[in-house]
Amino acid sequence: MPEPTDDFLETIVALAKRAGEVILRYYAEEDVEVRQKADTSPVTDADADAEAVILPGLRELAPEIPIVSEEAVAGGFVPDISGGRFFLVDPLDGTREFISRNGEFTVHIALIEGDRSVMGVVPTPVIGELHYGRRGDGRFSPARPGRDSRPLPCCTA
């Protein structure tokens, strides 16, 4: 299977950033309604609305690649991933942290082949950090004002 191109990665970075912006709008609210999923883990409208940004964007970018997304799976939709390549999405990883307002939550979008991640994007909306990586390139955190980009150790060769 071909490696994700720069444009492919940039599109996913943009989707993750937009999802983070949606989450931050909820984060700024005084009172966020919290519900429980069947497994008793918490879920909010921020989870659902972030997923509503990501999924259509991924479907437009690569309609042939199935998407396994936390909220969709919790709702009973489990796609066929027997083809070996799929997106893995957690639109708001750290819902408990989001609810407690400690800022330690992220958005996760990864492209998986078999049992390995070949590309991933993880923004931390509250502090404005973004980490991303692609097989063969390593992982990076783009420059923030006053800081240089820094390569991070890569776990997937």
Side-chain angles (χ1 to χ4, degrees):
M1 291 181 190
E3 294 299 320
T5 64
D6 289 347
D7 289 343
F8 189 91
L9 178 58
E10 288 173 17
T11 298
I12 293 175
V13 165
L15 286 171
K17 286 180 175 181
R18 282 200 332 250
E21 291 166 4
V22 167
I23 292 166
L24 286 177
R25 285 197 297 266
Y26 284 98
Y27 195 69
E29 293 179 6
E30 288 290 319
D31 217 8
V32 175
E33 180 186 343
V34 180
R35 301 175 302 282
Q36 284 192 336
K37 295 188 266 189
D39 67 0
T40 72
S41 63
V43 65
T44 69
D45 287 341
D47 295 84
D49 288 354
E51 187 173 83
V53 165
I54 296 167
L55 299 189
L58 293 178
R59 286 186 190 112
E60 183 177 328
L61 176 65
E64 72 285 2
I65 300 176
I67 305 167
V68 176
S69 185
E70 182 173 354
E71 306 318 323
V73 169
F77 178 73
V78 181
D80 176 12
I81 59 169
S82 61
R85 191 176 225 196
F86 62 95
F87 288 111
L88 184 60
V89 175
D90 189 344
L92 198 171
D93 184 56
T95 301
R96 286 182 177 87
E97 289 75 12
F98 169 84
I99 294 164
S100 71
R101 301 272 195 279
N102 72 10
E104 296 177 5
F105 57 87
T106 57
V107 175
H108 289 212
I109 304 174
L111 179 62
I112 309 295
E113 281 185 9
D115 63 353
R116 294 198 177 256
S117 172
V118 297
M119 187 224 57
V121 176
V122 181
T124 308
V126 169
I127 61 173
E129 280 194 354
L130 170 74
H131 301 277
Y132 66 91
R134 181 174 50 185
R135 179 170 52 197
D137 290 344
R139 291 189 282 172
F140 299 93
S141 178
R144 292 192 293 164
R147 291 187 149 182
D148 295 326
S149 291
R150 58 187 168 91
L152 301 171
C154 185
C155 60
T156 304

